[in-house]
Amino acid sequence: MQTTATASTTSVLRVMNERAVFAETFRVGAVSRPELAQRTGLSKPTVAGALANLERAGLLRQVGVRAGAAGRSAALYEVRPEAGWVFAVDVGRSYVRVALADLVGRIVARKDEPSRSTRARDLVAQLTRLAEELAATAGIGRDEITLAVFGTPGIHDKATGALHLAPNLPGWNRRGSVERLAGIAGSTYVVENDIDLASVGEATYGLGRGVRHFVYVSIGTGTGMGIIIDGRLYRGFRGAAGEIGYLPVGEGDPLTGEPAARRRGMFESVASAGGVVATARRLGLDAAGAKEVFDAARAGDETARLAVSREVDHVSHALAGITAVLDPELVVLGGGVGSQTGDLLVAPVAERLRDLVALRPPRIEVSTLGTDAVLLGALAVGLADARDLVLESAATAAR
């Protein structure tokens, strides 16, 4: 028994050491054994053993040497990019956006297409084809993808395998529907709310870098919010944190008002692109879409300006409630409405917030990631998880 326990402890320590060396190599880039020993606090023999194991497993590779003192040189190591692959997917109502990245985060292939989301079967077939095409571009098979991350509207119910609150994806609210994603790429997949992923994308690549407390508010076809608290994504008890479309902010009573307000949520029924158009039409402006309303407001149309003023009012009241509960440092506006109308929304909303909240309101800025926020968030989540997966696979193979 003592021998078994000792062996087990030794294996655990070996894996921990290899993780430390791998993580530091990834963080630094090309790095030598002495540098790794200094940075990790591990002994040089321990680092040497970890490097040998990681190189043998195909996770690290030598990339040259660096000259040292007295003519000595040290081999440099870096993460082998082809050691893992991440397939990232943004499933929207109108478009699907997909990308394939290697283990160091380099996007090797990407495609955007109109979505075939009206039937679940067609959407799965479309995503399977795209995974095949991107994998072929990278010179690998679809089954070699380490991890697929799907960003979708709604909430993934892991107990039933259904997507809730995703009316734009017909059929996905049925039990077991999410399991159809399992065969698209590789054998491991993750399903995340699209706006949650957008907030992760913003935290990793956008305005949220270095900001510990912020929210990403998406206003477009629908409304939603991703919440970063103390540098981490906050999902809530059921994964439904940030479903701000159901905030009781708008016109009338959500229990007795329009059916759309009860079905989609009171705030979404007035703040989304469709809500902006509906408001404009009630005021007498015959607008076909939200862009037309905002363009008319920029051109000086008084009715369009009044419709935009109503939007400012709704968004301001919603953000006042969010600020009172979460106290974010930053609000990032995204989505089709939020990211394309900053000139009409940011300053007026900020001014209204100063009157609505007791303390200094958060900064409000328009996302710099545009329509790529969800896809970049999926890559960020996928890369972190894929690195763990390849390390676990290497550790299992070494036993």
Side-chain angles (χ1 to χ4, degrees):
M1 287 295 294
Q2 184 62 39
T3 302
T4 302
T6 302
S8 177
T9 302
T10 302
S11 298
V12 170
L13 287 174
R14 177 179 58 78
V15 170
M16 291 175 62
N17 293 336
E18 289 175 4
R19 284 182 177 274
V21 168
F22 183 84
E24 192 63 21
T25 305
F26 176 83
R27 191 182 71 82
V28 176
V31 62
S32 68
R33 184 176 64 186
E35 289 171 328
L36 283 169
Q38 183 179 25
R39 290 174 178 276
T40 62
L42 299 173
S43 68
K44 289 182 181 179
T46 298
V47 170
L51 286 171
N53 290 337
L54 291 168
E55 188 176 12
R56 192 179 306 113
L59 303 187
L60 297 184
R61 66 184 182 187
Q62 293 190 35
V63 288
V65 296
R66 177 179 294 148
R72 294 180 180 178
S73 60
L76 297 177
Y77 295 83
E78 71 175 10
V79 173
R80 182 171 166 268
E82 303 83 7
W85 301 92
V86 173
F87 181 58
V89 183
D90 172 13
V91 180
R93 187 186 74 164
S94 301
Y95 278 85
V96 292
R97 298 177 173 88
V98 298
L100 183 68
D102 60 26
L103 199 59
V104 298
R106 180 175 61 96
I107 296 176
V108 298
R110 174 177 173 170
K111 283 195 174 184
D112 297 8
E113 285 188 358
S115 174
R116 298 178 182 173
S117 61
T118 53
R119 292 198 308 175
R121 180 175 57 190
D122 293 340
L123 179 59
V124 170
Q126 180 183 21
L127 294 178
T128 302
R129 173 180 56 78
L130 288 170
E132 193 74 47
E133 291 174 0
L134 267 59
T137 300
I140 64 172
R142 183 162 51 93
D143 60 343
E144 294 180 69
I145 294 173
T146 308
L147 178 66
V149 181
F150 298 91
T152 72
I155 307 302
H156 177 203
D157 185 338
K158 295 181 180 179
T160 65
L163 275 181
H164 301 308
L165 307 180
N168 294 326
L169 295 179
W172 290 88
N173 59 338
R174 300 192 184 101
R175 177 180 288 270
S177 59
V178 173
E179 295 169 7
R180 301 173 183 176
L181 301 174
I184 290 176
S187 59
T188 307
Y189 70 98
V190 174
V191 180
E192 292 277 7
N193 174 264
D194 53 358
I195 309 304
D196 282 349
L197 288 180
S199 68
V200 174
E202 204 67 50
T204 308
Y205 305 105
L207 296 171
R209 282 179 294 183
V211 180
R212 303 293 293 174
H213 305 273
F214 78 91
V215 294
Y216 176 95
V217 176
S218 176
I219 304 174
T221 303
T223 60
M225 181 174 70
I227 305 167
I228 302 295
I229 296 178
D230 201 21
R232 296 175 177 269
L233 175 66
Y234 178 74
R235 294 181 176 84
F237 174 55
R238 296 182 179 87
E243 290 292 329
I244 58 172
Y246 294 91
L247 284 175
V249 173
E251 300 171 0
D253 188 323
L255 298 179
T256 61
E258 295 293 328
R262 297 196 299 272
R263 183 179 66 256
R264 298 179 58 191
M266 188 173 181
F267 179 55
E268 183 168 305
S269 70
V270 295
S272 63
V276 171
V277 173
T279 297
R281 288 176 177 173
R282 285 196 298 269
L283 294 172
L285 180 67
D286 186 17
K291 184 179 184 302
E292 187 175 331
V293 177
F294 290 111
D295 286 346
R298 292 187 182 98
D301 185 283
E302 290 301 323
T303 304
R305 285 188 171 185
L306 181 55
V308 172
S309 177
R310 297 279 179 86
E311 177 76 352
V312 167
D313 186 63
H314 297 320
V315 173
S316 300
H317 280 83
L319 290 183
I322 291 164
T323 300
V325 175
L326 296 178
D327 186 27
E329 175 186 346
L330 171 69
V331 174
V332 180
L333 291 181
V337 172
S339 63
Q340 298 174 25
T341 58
D343 58 323
L344 296 175
L345 294 182
V346 170
V349 168
E351 183 178 352
R352 288 299 308 278
L353 269 183
R354 284 192 287 271
D355 297 329
L356 292 171
V357 300
L359 300 175
R360 179 183 296 179
R363 299 191 334 264
I364 303 174
E365 298 187 38
V366 175
S367 172
T368 58
L369 302 183
T371 57
D372 286 343
V374 177
L375 196 64
L376 290 173
L379 284 174
V381 168
L383 288 168
D385 289 349
R387 290 165 197 146
D388 286 338
L389 288 171
V390 296
L391 280 168
E392 289 172 8
S393 178
T396 299
R399 288 172 190 161

